[in-house]
Amino acid sequence: MAALIGAGGLGVFVFQGLGQAAMDLVLLGALPIVALALIVDSLMQLLIAILTPRGLVSEVADD
């Protein structure tokens, strides 16, 4: 979104690639964005697991 207002970032590569129909530029911007999103998601899941009190953790019941 920063690229839309001229603030730079990885989105610049995505929008330049879309404008020029250059898939290599799109991938140059999109792949690091996806990797960063996966890393942040994993860190957030770990943080949630660490900070959730034991009494709130749901146990899977064997039926």
Side-chain angles (χ1 to χ4, degrees), residues 35-61:
L36 285 171
L38 291 172
I39 290 168
V40 169
D41 181 57
S42 297
L43 290 174
M44 289 296 152
Q45 291 295 327
L46 180 63
L47 187 64
I48 289 169
I50 291 171
L51 295 177
T52 302
R54 289 185 182 189
L56 293 178
V57 176
S58 64
E59 296 292 329
V60 177

PDB file of all heavy atoms in Angstrom, residues 35-61:
ATOM      1  N   ALA A  35       6.971 -14.173   2.105  1.00  0.00           N
ATOM      2  CA  ALA A  35       7.876 -14.721   3.124  1.00  0.00           C
ATOM      3  C   ALA A  35       7.763 -13.936   4.434  1.00  0.00           C
ATOM      4  O   ALA A  35       7.693 -14.534   5.518  1.00  0.00           O
ATOM      5  CB  ALA A  35       9.315 -14.712   2.614  1.00  0.00           C
ATOM      6  N   LEU A  36       7.732 -12.624   4.343  1.00  0.00           N
ATOM      7  CA  LEU A  36       7.585 -11.801   5.548  1.00  0.00           C
ATOM      8  C   LEU A  36       6.247 -12.060   6.242  1.00  0.00           C
ATOM      9  O   LEU A  36       6.179 -12.122   7.470  1.00  0.00           O
ATOM     10  CB  LEU A  36       7.705 -10.317   5.202  1.00  0.00           C
ATOM     11  CG  LEU A  36       9.119  -9.818   4.906  1.00  0.00           C
ATOM     12  CD1 LEU A  36       9.064  -8.391   4.361  1.00  0.00           C
ATOM     13  CD2 LEU A  36       9.967  -9.877   6.150  1.00  0.00           C
ATOM     14  N   ALA A  37       5.187 -12.226   5.460  1.00  0.00           N
ATOM     15  CA  ALA A  37       3.876 -12.498   6.044  1.00  0.00           C
ATOM     16  C   ALA A  37       3.871 -13.831   6.781  1.00  0.00           C
ATOM     17  O   ALA A  37       3.305 -13.939   7.876  1.00  0.00           O
ATOM     18  CB  ALA A  37       2.804 -12.485   4.958  1.00  0.00           C
ATOM     19  N   LEU A  38       4.490 -14.852   6.208  1.00  0.00           N
ATOM     20  CA  LEU A  38       4.555 -16.159   6.862  1.00  0.00           C
ATOM     21  C   LEU A  38       5.385 -16.107   8.145  1.00  0.00           C
ATOM     22  O   LEU A  38       5.022 -16.724   9.154  1.00  0.00           O
ATOM     23  CB  LEU A  38       5.119 -17.209   5.901  1.00  0.00           C
ATOM     24  CG  LEU A  38       4.213 -17.576   4.735  1.00  0.00           C
ATOM     25  CD1 LEU A  38       4.955 -18.475   3.752  1.00  0.00           C
ATOM     26  CD2 LEU A  38       2.938 -18.228   5.219  1.00  0.00           C
ATOM     27  N   ILE A  39       6.480 -15.373   8.113  1.00  0.00           N
ATOM     28  CA  ILE A  39       7.326 -15.245   9.301  1.00  0.00           C
ATOM     29  C   ILE A  39       6.584 -14.511  10.404  1.00  0.00           C
ATOM     30  O   ILE A  39       6.582 -14.946  11.568  1.00  0.00           O
ATOM     31  CB  ILE A  39       8.649 -14.531   8.945  1.00  0.00           C
ATOM     32  CG1 ILE A  39       9.520 -15.436   8.072  1.00  0.00           C
ATOM     33  CG2 ILE A  39       9.399 -14.110  10.196  1.00  0.00           C
ATOM     34  CD1 ILE A  39      10.702 -14.737   7.440  1.00  0.00           C
ATOM     35  N   VAL A  40       5.929 -13.412  10.070  1.00  0.00           N
ATOM     36  CA  VAL A  40       5.180 -12.651  11.075  1.00  0.00           C
ATOM     37  C   VAL A  40       4.036 -13.482  11.632  1.00  0.00           C
ATOM     38  O   VAL A  40       3.780 -13.469  12.846  1.00  0.00           O
ATOM     39  CB  VAL A  40       4.671 -11.311  10.487  1.00  0.00           C
ATOM     40  CG1 VAL A  40       3.687 -10.635  11.414  1.00  0.00           C
ATOM     41  CG2 VAL A  40       5.850 -10.393  10.202  1.00  0.00           C
ATOM     42  N   ASP A  41       3.340 -14.246  10.781  1.00  0.00           N
ATOM     43  CA  ASP A  41       2.256 -15.100  11.251  1.00  0.00           C
ATOM     44  C   ASP A  41       2.774 -16.155  12.224  1.00  0.00           C
ATOM     45  O   ASP A  41       2.165 -16.392  13.272  1.00  0.00           O
ATOM     46  CB  ASP A  41       1.559 -15.772  10.072  1.00  0.00           C
ATOM     47  CG  ASP A  41       0.415 -16.658  10.517  1.00  0.00           C
ATOM     48  OD1 ASP A  41      -0.503 -16.149  11.195  1.00  0.00           O
ATOM     49  OD2 ASP A  41       0.437 -17.863  10.200  1.00  0.00           O
ATOM     50  N   SER A  42       3.896 -16.773  11.900  1.00  0.00           N
ATOM     51  CA  SER A  42       4.473 -17.775  12.795  1.00  0.00           C
ATOM     52  C   SER A  42       4.869 -17.167  14.135  1.00  0.00           C
ATOM     53  O   SER A  42       4.628 -17.765  15.197  1.00  0.00           O
ATOM     54  CB  SER A  42       5.706 -18.422  12.153  1.00  0.00           C
ATOM     55  OG  SER A  42       5.330 -19.098  10.986  1.00  0.00           O
ATOM     56  N   LEU A  43       5.467 -15.993  14.098  1.00  0.00           N
ATOM     57  CA  LEU A  43       5.854 -15.322  15.339  1.00  0.00           C
ATOM     58  C   LEU A  43       4.636 -14.948  16.179  1.00  0.00           C
ATOM     59  O   LEU A  43       4.659 -15.076  17.416  1.00  0.00           O
ATOM     60  CB  LEU A  43       6.696 -14.090  15.036  1.00  0.00           C
ATOM     61  CG  LEU A  43       8.093 -14.355  14.489  1.00  0.00           C
ATOM     62  CD1 LEU A  43       8.764 -13.046  14.090  1.00  0.00           C
ATOM     63  CD2 LEU A  43       8.934 -15.109  15.495  1.00  0.00           C
ATOM     64  N   MET A  44       3.578 -14.515  15.531  1.00  0.00           N
ATOM     65  CA  MET A  44       2.358 -14.164  16.266  1.00  0.00           C
ATOM     66  C   MET A  44       1.710 -15.402  16.882  1.00  0.00           C
ATOM     67  O   MET A  44       1.220 -15.361  18.013  1.00  0.00           O
ATOM     68  CB  MET A  44       1.355 -13.451  15.354  1.00  0.00           C
ATOM     69  CG  MET A  44       1.767 -12.072  14.970  1.00  0.00           C
ATOM     70  SD  MET A  44       1.844 -11.019  16.441  1.00  0.00           S
ATOM     71  CE  MET A  44       3.056  -9.852  15.932  1.00  0.00           C
ATOM     72  N   GLN A  45       1.696 -16.511  16.147  1.00  0.00           N
ATOM     73  CA  GLN A  45       1.147 -17.755  16.690  1.00  0.00           C
ATOM     74  C   GLN A  45       1.957 -18.219  17.902  1.00  0.00           C
ATOM     75  O   GLN A  45       1.399 -18.685  18.895  1.00  0.00           O
ATOM     76  CB  GLN A  45       1.122 -18.853  15.621  1.00  0.00           C
ATOM     77  CG  GLN A  45       0.124 -18.601  14.514  1.00  0.00           C
ATOM     78  CD  GLN A  45      -1.310 -18.624  15.011  1.00  0.00           C
ATOM     79  OE1 GLN A  45      -1.656 -19.355  15.935  1.00  0.00           O
ATOM     80  NE2 GLN A  45      -2.147 -17.812  14.409  1.00  0.00           N
ATOM     81  N   LEU A  46       3.275 -18.082  17.824  1.00  0.00           N
ATOM     82  CA  LEU A  46       4.134 -18.441  18.944  1.00  0.00           C
ATOM     83  C   LEU A  46       3.867 -17.531  20.137  1.00  0.00           C
ATOM     84  O   LEU A  46       3.766 -17.998  21.282  1.00  0.00           O
ATOM     85  CB  LEU A  46       5.605 -18.356  18.526  1.00  0.00           C
ATOM     86  CG  LEU A  46       6.642 -18.689  19.579  1.00  0.00           C
ATOM     87  CD1 LEU A  46       6.506 -20.143  20.015  1.00  0.00           C
ATOM     88  CD2 LEU A  46       8.027 -18.405  19.065  1.00  0.00           C
ATOM     89  N   LEU A  47       3.732 -16.252  19.893  1.00  0.00           N
ATOM     90  CA  LEU A  47       3.443 -15.293  20.951  1.00  0.00           C
ATOM     91  C   LEU A  47       2.096 -15.592  21.615  1.00  0.00           C
ATOM     92  O   LEU A  47       1.974 -15.541  22.840  1.00  0.00           O
ATOM     93  CB  LEU A  47       3.458 -13.875  20.383  1.00  0.00           C
ATOM     94  CG  LEU A  47       3.334 -12.737  21.372  1.00  0.00           C
ATOM     95  CD1 LEU A  47       4.531 -12.716  22.316  1.00  0.00           C
ATOM     96  CD2 LEU A  47       3.225 -11.421  20.638  1.00  0.00           C
ATOM     97  N   ILE A  48       1.101 -15.927  20.824  1.00  0.00           N
ATOM     98  CA  ILE A  48      -0.205 -16.284  21.369  1.00  0.00           C
ATOM     99  C   ILE A  48      -0.096 -17.528  22.234  1.00  0.00           C
ATOM    100  O   ILE A  48      -0.660 -17.592  23.329  1.00  0.00           O
ATOM    101  CB  ILE A  48      -1.233 -16.491  20.237  1.00  0.00           C
ATOM    102  CG1 ILE A  48      -1.580 -15.158  19.600  1.00  0.00           C
ATOM    103  CG2 ILE A  48      -2.494 -17.193  20.748  1.00  0.00           C
ATOM    104  CD1 ILE A  48      -2.383 -15.283  18.318  1.00  0.00           C
ATOM    105  N   ALA A  49       0.642 -18.523  21.763  1.00  0.00           N
ATOM    106  CA  ALA A  49       0.805 -19.763  22.517  1.00  0.00           C
ATOM    107  C   ALA A  49       1.523 -19.517  23.849  1.00  0.00           C
ATOM    108  O   ALA A  49       1.178 -20.108  24.866  1.00  0.00           O
ATOM    109  CB  ALA A  49       1.576 -20.788  21.690  1.00  0.00           C
ATOM    110  N   ILE A  50       2.491 -18.615  23.843  1.00  0.00           N
ATOM    111  CA  ILE A  50       3.252 -18.324  25.063  1.00  0.00           C
ATOM    112  C   ILE A  50       2.405 -17.525  26.057  1.00  0.00           C
ATOM    113  O   ILE A  50       2.433 -17.780  27.261  1.00  0.00           O
ATOM    114  CB  ILE A  50       4.546 -17.560  24.714  1.00  0.00           C
ATOM    115  CG1 ILE A  50       5.507 -18.482  23.978  1.00  0.00           C
ATOM    116  CG2 ILE A  50       5.192 -16.983  25.961  1.00  0.00           C
ATOM    117  CD1 ILE A  50       6.716 -17.777  23.399  1.00  0.00           C
ATOM    118  N   LEU A  51       1.627 -16.578  25.562  1.00  0.00           N
ATOM    119  CA  LEU A  51       0.905 -15.664  26.442  1.00  0.00           C
ATOM    120  C   LEU A  51      -0.480 -16.147  26.865  1.00  0.00           C
ATOM    121  O   LEU A  51      -1.081 -15.555  27.754  1.00  0.00           O
ATOM    122  CB  LEU A  51       0.773 -14.295  25.779  1.00  0.00           C
ATOM    123  CG  LEU A  51       2.089 -13.553  25.543  1.00  0.00           C
ATOM    124  CD1 LEU A  51       1.832 -12.246  24.826  1.00  0.00           C
ATOM    125  CD2 LEU A  51       2.827 -13.321  26.845  1.00  0.00           C
ATOM    126  N   THR A  52      -0.996 -17.201  26.255  1.00  0.00           N
ATOM    127  CA  THR A  52      -2.318 -17.704  26.625  1.00  0.00           C
ATOM    128  C   THR A  52      -2.224 -18.471  27.943  1.00  0.00           C
ATOM    129  O   THR A  52      -1.429 -19.402  28.066  1.00  0.00           O
ATOM    130  CB  THR A  52      -2.873 -18.639  25.538  1.00  0.00           C
ATOM    131  OG1 THR A  52      -2.932 -17.914  24.307  1.00  0.00           O
ATOM    132  CG2 THR A  52      -4.252 -19.149  25.902  1.00  0.00           C
ATOM    133  N   PRO A  53      -3.019 -18.089  28.943  1.00  0.00           N
ATOM    134  CA  PRO A  53      -3.000 -18.810  30.213  1.00  0.00           C
ATOM    135  C   PRO A  53      -3.427 -20.264  30.027  1.00  0.00           C
ATOM    136  O   PRO A  53      -4.239 -20.589  29.165  1.00  0.00           O
ATOM    137  CB  PRO A  53      -4.030 -18.067  31.073  1.00  0.00           C
ATOM    138  CG  PRO A  53      -4.172 -16.730  30.440  1.00  0.00           C
ATOM    139  CD  PRO A  53      -3.909 -16.933  28.988  1.00  0.00           C
ATOM    140  N   ARG A  54      -2.898 -21.155  30.861  1.00  0.00           N
ATOM    141  CA  ARG A  54      -3.176 -22.581  30.716  1.00  0.00           C
ATOM    142  C   ARG A  54      -4.661 -22.907  30.844  1.00  0.00           C
ATOM    143  O   ARG A  54      -5.144 -23.825  30.213  1.00  0.00           O
ATOM    144  CB  ARG A  54      -2.402 -23.375  31.759  1.00  0.00           C
ATOM    145  CG  ARG A  54      -0.935 -23.397  31.484  1.00  0.00           C
ATOM    146  CD  ARG A  54      -0.221 -24.292  32.455  1.00  0.00           C
ATOM    147  NE  ARG A  54       1.211 -24.236  32.184  1.00  0.00           N
ATOM    148  CZ  ARG A  54       2.075 -25.019  32.733  1.00  0.00           C
ATOM    149  NH1 ARG A  54       1.701 -25.916  33.631  1.00  0.00           N
ATOM    150  NH2 ARG A  54       3.347 -24.918  32.426  1.00  0.00           N
ATOM    151  N   GLY A  55      -5.392 -22.175  31.660  1.00  0.00           N
ATOM    152  CA  GLY A  55      -6.813 -22.447  31.846  1.00  0.00           C
ATOM    153  C   GLY A  55      -7.657 -22.126  30.617  1.00  0.00           C
ATOM    154  O   GLY A  55      -8.765 -22.612  30.486  1.00  0.00           O
ATOM    155  N   LEU A  56      -7.127 -21.329  29.702  1.00  0.00           N
ATOM    156  CA  LEU A  56      -7.869 -20.961  28.507  1.00  0.00           C
ATOM    157  C   LEU A  56      -7.554 -21.841  27.299  1.00  0.00           C
ATOM    158  O   LEU A  56      -8.219 -21.737  26.280  1.00  0.00           O
ATOM    159  CB  LEU A  56      -7.600 -19.498  28.132  1.00  0.00           C
ATOM    160  CG  LEU A  56      -8.126 -18.462  29.117  1.00  0.00           C
ATOM    161  CD1 LEU A  56      -7.750 -17.070  28.642  1.00  0.00           C
ATOM    162  CD2 LEU A  56      -9.628 -18.582  29.279  1.00  0.00           C
ATOM    163  N   VAL A  57      -6.572 -22.694  27.436  1.00  0.00           N
ATOM    164  CA  VAL A  57      -6.193 -23.564  26.320  1.00  0.00           C
ATOM    165  C   VAL A  57      -7.215 -24.693  26.236  1.00  0.00           C
ATOM    166  O   VAL A  57      -7.480 -25.386  27.204  1.00  0.00           O
ATOM    167  CB  VAL A  57      -4.773 -24.143  26.526  1.00  0.00           C
ATOM    168  CG1 VAL A  57      -4.429 -25.119  25.419  1.00  0.00           C
ATOM    169  CG2 VAL A  57      -3.753 -23.020  26.599  1.00  0.00           C
ATOM    170  N   SER A  58      -7.797 -24.847  25.066  1.00  0.00           N
ATOM    171  CA  SER A  58      -8.803 -25.898  24.893  1.00  0.00           C
ATOM    172  C   SER A  58      -8.115 -27.240  24.657  1.00  0.00           C
ATOM    173  O   SER A  58      -7.155 -27.341  23.906  1.00  0.00           O
ATOM    174  CB  SER A  58      -9.731 -25.574  23.728  1.00  0.00           C
ATOM    175  OG  SER A  58      -9.006 -25.554  22.529  1.00  0.00           O
ATOM    176  N   GLU A  59      -8.620 -28.258  25.313  1.00  0.00           N
ATOM    177  CA  GLU A  59      -8.095 -29.610  25.153  1.00  0.00           C
ATOM    178  C   GLU A  59      -8.952 -30.332  24.131  1.00  0.00           C
ATOM    179  O   GLU A  59     -10.174 -30.210  24.121  1.00  0.00           O
ATOM    180  CB  GLU A  59      -8.164 -30.349  26.499  1.00  0.00           C
ATOM    181  CG  GLU A  59      -7.284 -29.752  27.581  1.00  0.00           C
ATOM    182  CD  GLU A  59      -5.809 -29.931  27.296  1.00  0.00           C
ATOM    183  OE1 GLU A  59      -5.430 -30.933  26.673  1.00  0.00           O
ATOM    184  OE2 GLU A  59      -5.042 -29.056  27.702  1.00  0.00           O
ATOM    185  N   VAL A  60      -8.316 -31.087  23.291  1.00  0.00           N
ATOM    186  CA  VAL A  60      -9.048 -31.883  22.299  1.00  0.00           C
ATOM    187  C   VAL A  60      -9.475 -33.168  22.996  1.00  0.00           C
ATOM    188  O   VAL A  60      -8.656 -33.943  23.468  1.00  0.00           O
ATOM    189  CB  VAL A  60      -8.175 -32.179  21.081  1.00  0.00           C
ATOM    190  CG1 VAL A  60      -8.914 -33.070  20.094  1.00  0.00           C
ATOM    191  CG2 VAL A  60      -7.720 -30.890  20.424  1.00  0.00           C
ATOM    192  N   ALA A  61     -10.779 -33.391  23.056  1.00  0.00           N
ATOM    193  CA  ALA A  61     -11.317 -34.565  23.752  1.00  0.00           C
ATOM    194  C   ALA A  61     -11.314 -35.764  22.806  1.00  0.00           C
ATOM    195  O   ALA A  61     -11.687 -35.645  21.635  1.00  0.00           O
ATOM    196  CB  ALA A  61     -12.721 -34.293  24.242  1.00  0.00           C
TER     197      ALA A  61
END
